[in-house]
């Protein structure tokens, strides 16, 4: 990987450049990491793990914003409890919501990345069609439990989102 105007950028580990100055063990480790990142299984696992982490953080944030005020019926019940019990229930709820969100994000990331990688390997092309197709398959798979109409809406929604993100990421900077 060489960047204009940056001397020595072609020798960045993992960048596909030369491995001069590295020990044999470092070279083997770099090759192993590159091989993992080039495999569909490696991309799927990495996307699932990163999606799980991002989903957990997102779920934690969203659950902290969803607590009822003391004016609601549920809020009244919660305010009548001792402080220690209120905190215990709040943290337990935040943990379960974070875990649920983490599982969903991890699943979406793994399905999308694995599908896109398989499609790209099959087609031997890297273009917008891979992401759109993978988005449709991902959305359709996630919506299939709710019926064919939900699967179709999920397919169209994920495909449109994938197309928008792909268009943004592939656009030429001026």
């Amino acid at each position: 990987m060489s960047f204009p105007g940056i001397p020595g950028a072609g020798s960045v580990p993992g960048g596909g450049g030369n491995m001069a100055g590295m020990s044999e063990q470092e070279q083997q480790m770099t090759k192993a990491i590159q091989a993992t990142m080039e495999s569909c299984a490696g991309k799927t696992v990495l996307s699932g793990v990163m999606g799980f982490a991002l989903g957990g953080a997102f779920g934690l944030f969203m659950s902290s914003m969803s607590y009822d005020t003391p004016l609601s019926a549920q809020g009244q019940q919660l305010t009548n409890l001792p402080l220690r019990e209120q905190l215990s229930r709040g943290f337990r709820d935040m943990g379960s919501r974070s875990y649920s969100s983490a599982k969903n994000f991890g699943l979406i990331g793994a399905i999308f990345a694995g599908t896109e990688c398989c499609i790209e390997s099959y087609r031997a092309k890297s273009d917008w069609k891979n992401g759109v197709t993978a988005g449709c398959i991902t959305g359709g798979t996630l919506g299939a439990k709710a019926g064919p109409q939900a699967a179709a809406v999920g397919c169209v929604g994920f495909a449109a989102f994938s197309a928008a993100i792909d268009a943004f990421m592939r656009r030429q900077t001026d």
Side-chain angles (χ1 to χ4, degrees):
M1 184 183 286
S2 96
F3 298 101
I6 302 176
S11 62
V12 175
N18 61 24
M19 295 188 203
M22 291 183 164
S23 69
E24 186 175 330
Q25 184 179 10
E26 289 174 326
Q27 290 177 1
Q28 289 175 346
M29 187 62 116
T30 302
K31 288 178 184 178
I33 291 171
Q34 286 175 343
T36 301
M37 289 306 300
E38 290 174 2
S39 73
C40 288
K43 288 179 183 178
T44 301
V45 169
L46 182 65
S47 295
V49 169
M50 295 303 289
F52 188 87
L54 179 66
F58 183 74
L60 184 66
F61 174 74
M62 293 305 290
S63 67
S64 69
M65 298 294 173
S66 69
Y67 287 109
D68 293 324
T69 64
L71 302 175
S72 70
Q74 185 181 10
Q76 283 292 330
Q77 291 174 349
L78 193 60
T79 56
N80 293 335
L81 296 172
L83 179 63
R84 187 178 199 98
E85 182 65 23
Q86 289 179 24
L87 290 173
S88 173
R89 287 187 183 190
F91 286 135
R92 196 175 319 124
D93 183 52
M94 288 172 69
S96 67
R97 288 187 188 196
S98 294
Y99 183 67
S100 174
S101 184
K103 286 190 309 185
N104 291 334
F105 273 61
L107 182 65
I108 290 169
I111 291 173
F112 181 82
T115 305
E116 184 181 35
C117 185
C118 290
I119 291 169
E120 187 175 318
S121 296
Y122 178 76
R123 292 184 66 227
K125 291 182 183 177
S126 179
D127 60 7
W128 63 272
K129 294 175 186 176
N130 299 336
V132 171
T133 306
C136 179
I137 291 170
T138 302
T141 302
L142 295 174
K145 291 180 186 175
Q149 185 177 4
V153 170
C155 171
V156 170
F158 269 79
F161 184 72
S162 296
I165 294 297
D166 215 356
F168 177 76
M169 296 300 286
R170 292 182 189 266
R171 69 184 166 98
Q172 296 294 325
T173 56
D174 296 327

